[in-house]
Structures are given as structure tokens and as C-alpha cells.
Amino acid sequence: MFRILFIVPYDAIQLEVEQAVNLYKPKGMSIDLTNVIGVEDTEKLNIGIYDLIIARGITYATIKQMDPNKPIIEIGVTGFELIRAISEAKSLYNPKKIAVVGWKDMIHAVKELGNLCDMEILCQSVESDQEAKMVTGELKKQGVEVIVGGLMACNAADANGLPCVFIKTVKETIEKSVVEAINTARAIIEQQDKANLFKTIMDYSTEAIISVDKTGHITTMNKMAYRILNLPYQMELIGKSIQDVMPHSKLSEVIVSGKSEMNKVIKYQGTLLNTNIVPLEVKGDVKGAIKMFQKVTKIQEVESEIRKAIHKKGLVAKYTFDNIIGESSTVKKAIGAALKYSSVSSNILLIGETGTGKELFAQGIHQASNRKEGPFVAINCAALPENLLETELFGYVEGAFTGALKGGKVGFFELAHGGTVFLDEINEVSLSLQAKLLRVLEEKEIRRVGDDRVIPIDVRIITATNANLGEKVERGEFRRDLLYRLNVLNIKIPPLREREDDILALAEYYINKFNLKFEKHIEGIEEDARQAFMEYRWPGNIRELKNICERLVVLSEYSMITYEDFIAQVSFESEMLDIIKREPVKGKHYVQREPILNIDKLESYTILEALEKAGHNKSIAAKMLGISRSTLWRKLKEIEDND
């Protein structure tokens, strides 16, 4: 509650003051009334409990002297009130000489009224009861016949045997004083609210903040600054020189130069601090400076929290090179190259057919690099249309297009700052988007869709392709300069048919994995089925092998995977069961079958059959085959060229 004290000048207007206060009834404020006479009574008032005071004359002057910072509204004496009092003095006493005695603001410019009233008017300012009595006595000796003034002047006149006319305050002046007090109170409350808000923001800031004026004296200092500087919070430092509190702060230099100093690391009492200093300018004139700083360890803690948040979003690499199953020389060669490339920051291009595990290699490279604590963001460029891919990669600002989210959206490149971006099937990116990717690689900055502001980023880019980018360059489908940027380092990921030594190890791994997932008990793979696994060409590579193993575990009714189980999963029709030529296992009584199709024709037939079953919906057909849509397009073109 904001408390106001109205010091009523004299008893006669008590009722008018009460009426004025009741008329306005300010919300959130209380107005108390009191009467005081003279300086001594005023000094006895407990003005400390009030936020604002209304007073007149000497009472006003006394309070102003007692507490210069206390907000106080003066009940002014208007010219009309003075003229009326002087006119009353002439009417009652018809004097030749009168004196107006009181507070200097009450008697200002009174002398000129004497000519109008045909009498001499003296003016005498006083500041205390004692002075008023002494001055009044002197005036009497000078021939003054009547005193005009307030209560203090009238008391002094009475003590010296002189008549006195009291300057009365009219109703309008009282109301004006009340309104002015209420408006002032509202302004003070608003200012206090702003100050409290500012103080709260300052005190709860994770950064230490110190501001100084043009002379280098402290004007603001928050709790965090006290804490980092190891100073007791009770110590009053406002007004102190910054050099006495934090020597070599560089604040004075920034005030002189008018230029900011950002992201400087300094050592203070054995602690590393990251500091930012900016000048405070008003209409081009430097009025001071602000220094913001925090412990480097605190920044590291914040980064740790950010990493946790990124982990919750799934923007992390889950696999390392240890998760790559295989002992074949081809895969070991690829892993060896990837390990070497992990230690440098150059861009890497992964080349391999669909399903060979290119993302697994990308994650392994990230995990083995010095960026392993940062985000890992993987994007399949073939899975999104061009306009959506652009907004996902670069983000957008609010209002960039119809349907844009309020506040805009952060793109994957920004999310991956300090980490790695993996762009799979880079061969599917349009030429216009290729130009924007080239800018990212060259300038290390991005621009959100609909924005003209550039944002610097620090990411490592790993790309992957299942197509021959050299051929696409020759056909004008891929930018040569972008290929040079992407293909600084490259790794060829071998297809599964070139990793014969790894096929059965992978099959057993996935069978065991799906055993656990589906609570099945498949013990292994029969010998002729193992041979079938080895002889199949695996056009979908590891992804196809994984899918087939999942189906085998789900559908098998026996403890071992049989040849017939395997053939059923790699064929679309019953007449295709003999796709693999094999010798029967000794002791087994299988009917010897001859292959009805060679492997190349089988692949074409399988693709065309899948397309027909999918109603010529290429997305569905690709899903049925366990390959990407872009791979399906390429294989259909190969079939067309071979016909």
C-alpha cells in the first residue's frame, strides 16, 4: 500500500481536505490527514513511514530539509489567494503599510500588488518560528500595521501585538494538490515496479553485470557480480570507482573508444572469466559502459545442459565403429579409413549402395572425433520435397510463408552447431538447393528462409550417395564445385555381396536380436540355408538382410531357419523358390531343383513384380523391396536400358 500524508495547513479547511480525499479515492493508496503548527511539530512527525507528503509553506520547507529525497507536493499559494488576503487586510484595517511574511515561495512577486492597493507592501521570507517572531518585531518598528501570512506568521504577529490576516487556501487548490499527489504516486509506483523488475532480472541473471557512468563510477551491480568477485553482498559499492573494485576491467577503455569488446577471456583471482563489454550510448554520446561476465566453468555447465537437451531430442549418434559387424578385409579397410578421417575436420563423402550402413559409418566418425559431445543430425535428402528440405536444413523466420510457425523454426544446421550434419542421398538434392549448400560449405554460415540475417555455424558435414556423382556432374544434374567441396575425403562402403565372410555373422546377429525382441527361440540356421544366405546377391544389402531376418524370426515355427524359410522370404511367387543353385546337405532328402532364373533376371523380375503388386506406386514398391525410392528409380532405368 502506497501511503500519503496530507498535512492540513489549518483546522478550518479540514472538512474540505477530507471531501477532496474521499472524492478521488485512489486505489492501492492510503491518505492520512494531520495538523502541525511550526517547525517543532513538523520535526516530531514520523515521515519515514510515508511514501509521499502534501504540505504548505514552512511545513513543506522543513520536511524538504529533513529528508531531501522524500517525494513532497507543495500546496502552493495562488495569486488569487494572496490578493484576497491583502484585500481583506485593507478592508479591515485600512493600513498604509503591511507586510507579507512566510515561506519564500508564498510571497514571491507580492511587492507589485502595492501600487494596485494604494499602500506599501513589504515582503519578508522566514524559515522558522523564532525567525518569524524576530522579523515581525522588526517590521513593527518599521511602521508595519498589519501582517499577512500563514499560521506561523500570524502566531508571530500576535506575539508582537500586530493584527494578522491569514492566507486561506481555496477548495480548488486543495483538490489540485490531491490530484497532483495521486498522479505523482502512480508515477512513483510505476517507476518502483520497473525498478523491481529490473532488479529481479539483474539478480537472477546467470551473468554478472556491472555498469559504470562516464567517469567510471559504479551505477549498477547485481548479485552474481558480488558472488564471482568474492565480495559480501552487504558491501555498498554503488558510486565507487570500478578500478577500486575490479582493476583492469577495460570499462574505461570502452567508454573512451565507444567500441564493444566481446568474448574476451580474462583471469581474475585464479578464475577464468568470459567477458563482454558494451558502451552505453544516448543519442550518439557515450554515457557509460556495461560489463557482463561469467565463469568459464559455468558456460561449460550450460553447454552440458544443452547437450542433455539435444540428447532428449534424439540429435545424437548412437553407434560407434564397434557396432559395425564384420571381419572381411573390405569392411576393415573402410573402417580403417574412417578412423583416420575422424581426427580431421575435412568434409567426407561416403559412397555405397542403399542399405550398406552409410549412416552407421557417419555416426562412427562423429563418435571418434573431437565433436562427439556435440549434436549428430542425420537428414535423408531423398525423403523430403525440395521446399520442405530447405526449411528443415536452414530453418525459417515467422511469416516466411503461409503456415509458418509463430516465432519461426530453427533448422538442422543451427541445431547441429558444434557437431556433425549427415546428409544421406545427397545425389537427390536439386540444383537450386545445391547452390545454398555450397554457400554453407564456403562461408560457414546459413540464412533462414525469409530472413536477411546470416548466422555463423560450426558443423562438420558428412554426405553419402548411392549414385555416381561424377556421371551426374557430366549430365548437368550435380554441381561440380559442390562435388569438389564434398569429396575432400571419401570412403567406399562395400556392398554385402563383397563381404561374403560377414553375411552369416550379420544374419546370426540379427536373428539373436529379434529373438530377444519377439521372445522367440530360434537356435540357428541350417546348413543349406546358410549356403543360400551366402549365394544370394542381397540387392538391398544389410537393410534387406535385417528385414529378412526379422521376418524369419517372426514367421518360423521351428528352432532352426531352413532353406525353405529363407527362399520364401526372398521370393514373391512360389515358382521362384529355386532362385539359388545348391547341393543338398548330406543326410537331407530335398528334391534337387534347377534355377529357373539367373540372379540378374531375378532382380529385374522381383522389382517389376513388386511394382505391379504396389499398383505402380513406387514409394510402396520401394518399401516392399527394402530399398529407397531413388534406388528403385535407378534400377527401373537400368531395366529399361537393358530391354
Side-chain angles (χ1 to χ4, degrees):
M1 182 69 71
F2 193 93
R3 298 190 66 181
I4 301 173
L5 176 64
F6 195 125
I7 301 176
V8 182
Y10 54 98
D11 292 340
I13 62 169
Q14 176 85 18
L15 182 61
E16 291 178 345
V17 173
E18 290 175 355
Q19 288 174 343
V21 170
N22 292 330
L23 176 65
Y24 294 99
K25 293 180 180 177
K27 291 183 179 179
M29 304 177 203
S30 67
I31 302 181
D32 296 339
L33 307 182
T34 189
N35 300 93
V36 297
I37 301 174
V39 175
E40 290 184 5
D41 285 352
T42 303
E43 290 175 345
K44 293 176 183 178
L45 285 174
N46 186 12
I47 63 172
I49 65 173
Y50 293 99
D51 301 296
L52 185 145
I53 295 173
I54 307 170
R56 189 180 93 153
I58 293 296
T59 305
Y60 168 85
T62 303
I63 294 173
K64 203 69 174 163
Q65 189 175 13
M66 289 167 58
D67 188 352
N69 297 320
K70 178 71 68 176
I72 182 167
I73 302 296
E74 183 179 8
I75 305 172
V77 175
T78 67
F80 170 75
E81 292 166 346
L82 265 175
I83 292 171
R84 191 171 71 169
I86 292 170
S87 178
E88 184 180 348
K90 183 177 182 180
S91 175
L92 290 173
Y93 304 105
N94 194 25
K96 293 297 181 181
K97 194 175 189 179
I98 70 171
V100 178
V101 178
W103 170 241
K104 59 183 179 181
D105 290 348
M106 290 176 62
I107 62 175
H108 180 67
V110 174
K111 290 181 180 180
E112 287 74 7
L113 293 173
N115 297 328
L116 298 175
C117 301
D118 191 26
M119 60 181 173
E120 185 181 356
I121 301 177
L122 300 179
C123 298
Q124 185 65 53
S125 65
V126 294
E127 296 184 0
S128 68
D129 296 338
Q130 194 64 34
E131 186 182 4
K133 289 177 183 179
M134 183 182 69
V135 166
T136 304
E138 289 296 322
L139 290 170
K140 183 178 180 180
K141 292 177 183 179
Q142 296 174 26
V144 170
E145 302 167 68
V146 180
I147 299 294
V148 175
L151 280 174
M152 184 175 64
C154 288
N155 289 338
D158 185 59
N160 284 286
L162 283 174
C164 181
V165 175
F166 186 76
I167 302 173
K168 297 175 183 176
T169 300
V170 298
K171 181 180 179 181
E172 290 76 16
T173 302
I174 294 170
E175 289 186 357
K176 181 183 176 183
S177 300
V178 172
V179 170
E180 185 180 352
I182 291 171
N183 290 336
T184 302
R186 286 173 179 157
I188 292 171
I189 291 170
E190 184 178 351
Q191 193 65 32
Q192 286 174 344
D193 288 344
K194 288 181 179 178
N196 289 335
L197 176 62
F198 178 70
K199 186 176 185 302
T200 301
I201 293 171
M202 289 275 287
D203 286 343
Y204 282 90
S205 171
T206 57
E207 279 191 299
I209 302 171
I210 299 177
S211 66
V212 299
D213 60 19
K214 199 167 185 177
T215 64
H217 288 84
I218 298 171
T219 55
T220 305
M221 187 166 173
N222 71 346
K223 286 183 178 179
M224 186 58 71
Y226 278 90
R227 192 177 304 165
I228 291 179
L229 299 179
N230 295 318
L231 297 170
Y233 190 61
Q234 297 76 18
M235 182 183 291
E236 183 55 62
L237 296 175
I238 305 303
K240 301 287 186 182
S241 172
I242 187 64
Q243 293 303 321
D244 296 337
V245 177
M246 194 177 186
H248 315 297
S249 66
K250 298 284 187 179
L251 279 161
S252 298
E253 289 89 332
V254 168
I255 292 171
V256 173
S257 68
K259 295 180 180 179
S260 302
E261 284 199 6
M262 308 299 289
N263 294 316
K264 301 291 184 182
V265 177
I266 66 170
K267 198 168 188 178
Y268 179 82
Q269 295 182 355
T271 301
L272 288 177
L273 303 178
N274 183 70
T275 67
N276 294 295
I277 309 174
V278 294
L280 286 172
E281 293 187 17
V282 179
K283 295 182 179 179
D285 185 22
V286 177
K287 297 293 185 180
I290 296 180
K291 184 184 185 80
M292 295 157 284
F293 54 97
Q294 61 184 149
K295 293 180 180 179
V296 171
T297 52
K298 180 64 178 178
I299 298 172
Q300 292 168 341
E301 289 172 11
V302 172
E303 288 179 345
S304 177
E305 292 301 315
I306 292 172
R307 286 196 295 270
K308 289 177 183 177
I310 288 171
H311 190 278
K312 287 181 180 179
K313 288 185 177 182
L315 303 180
V316 293
K318 300 176 182 177
Y319 303 107
T320 67
F321 290 125
D322 292 337
N323 297 112
I324 298 176
I325 299 167
E327 295 297 325
S328 62
S329 59
T330 53
V331 79
K332 282 189 172 183
K333 181 180 177 182
I335 292 173
L339 273 169
K340 290 180 181 178
Y341 295 166
S342 300
S343 61
V344 296
S345 59
S346 307
N347 298 325
I348 300 173
L349 177 64
L350 304 178
I351 305 165
E353 297 177 10
T354 184
T356 51
K358 295 186 289 294
E359 182 172 347
L360 190 61
F361 270 83
Q363 291 195 27
I365 292 169
H366 173 80
Q367 291 280 55
S369 74
N370 59 5
R371 294 176 178 266
K372 63 182 178 180
E373 297 298 330
F376 177 86
V377 180
I379 306 103
N380 188 325
C381 299
L384 299 170
E386 180 183 354
N387 59 340
L388 183 56
L389 179 59
E390 181 178 2
T391 58
E392 288 295 308
L393 290 175
F394 302 110
Y396 57 80
V397 294
E398 183 176 339
F401 50 85
T402 303
L405 292 175
K406 185 176 181 181
K409 181 179 179 181
V410 178
F412 283 132
F413 276 117
E414 282 184 76
L415 287 174
H417 181 72
T420 304
V421 170
F422 173 57
L423 301 176
D424 196 8
E425 300 199 54
I426 190 68
N427 48 286
E428 295 298 319
V429 174
S430 68
L431 286 169
S432 61
L433 194 52
Q434 287 176 32
K436 295 176 181 178
L437 286 174
L438 183 63
R439 177 181 176 84
V440 175
L441 293 167
E442 290 178 340
E443 306 296 334
K444 301 297 183 183
E445 60 188 25
I446 60 102
R447 183 183 286 114
R448 291 185 184 181
V449 175
D451 197 4
D452 57 1
R453 180 175 62 96
V454 295
I455 302 170
I457 57 168
D458 172 27
V459 296
R460 182 187 196 169
I461 297 178
I462 301 175
T463 53
T465 179
N466 54 23
N468 189 319
L469 291 182
E471 291 180 0
K472 290 181 75 71
V473 168
E474 295 303 320
R475 294 196 299 268
E477 298 172 359
F478 202 86
R479 293 180 64 111
R480 189 182 299 274
D481 49 2
L482 178 60
L483 178 57
Y484 289 153
R485 287 285 186 179
L486 298 176
N487 193 26
V488 177
L489 305 174
N490 63 66
I491 302 171
K492 185 178 184 301
I493 312 298
L496 195 53
R497 61 181 174 274
E498 294 178 11
R499 299 173 53 186
E500 291 184 358
D501 296 343
D502 300 331
I503 292 174
L504 291 177
L506 284 164
E508 289 168 351
Y509 169 79
Y510 285 120
I511 288 171
N512 290 332
K513 179 179 179 179
F514 293 121
N515 264 339
L516 292 172
K517 181 177 180 180
F518 301 120
E519 297 182 352
K520 300 280 285 190
H521 302 284
I522 307 299
E523 295 176 4
I525 307 170
E526 289 189 348
E527 188 58 38
D528 51 354
R530 293 169 71 87
Q531 186 67 27
F533 266 94
M534 294 289 291
E535 293 183 4
Y536 184 56
R537 290 193 67 209
W538 299 107
N541 292 292
I542 298 173
R543 185 181 295 123
E544 183 185 10
L545 184 144
K546 178 183 176 182
N547 293 343
I548 286 177
C549 287
E550 183 171 0
R551 293 198 297 269
L552 285 170
V553 171
V554 171
L555 298 174
S556 178
E557 297 179 359
Y558 305 103
S559 61
M560 299 289 286
I561 301 296
T562 67
Y563 171 82
E564 279 73 16
D565 290 335
F566 177 74
I567 295 302
Q569 297 309 318
V570 296
S571 304
F572 282 93
E573 300 292 340
S574 59
E575 61 265 26
M576 295 173 60
L577 293 177
D578 295 302
I579 60 173
I580 299 174
K581 183 177 181 179
R582 63 177 177 80
E583 293 297 328
V585 178
K586 186 176 181 180
K588 296 280 186 179
H589 300 286
Y590 295 119
V591 177
Q592 178 68 39
R593 305 177 178 92
E594 293 295 330
I596 60 172
L597 294 172
N598 65 36
I599 297 301
D600 290 332
K601 289 184 178 180
L602 170 63
E603 183 178 81
S604 300
Y605 185 81
T606 302
I607 290 170
L608 293 174
E609 282 291 304
L611 192 62
E612 185 175 345
K613 280 178 171 289
H616 294 278
N617 185 313
K618 294 181 177 63
S619 295
I620 296 175
K623 190 173 182 180
M624 292 171 60
L625 292 165
I627 60 178
S628 70
R629 196 168 182 271
S630 58
T631 300
L632 177 61
W633 275 98
R634 189 177 72 252
K635 290 189 177 294
L636 285 171
K637 189 174 186 310
E638 290 173 358
I639 293 170
E640 183 181 338
D641 293 342
N642 292 330
D643 284 348

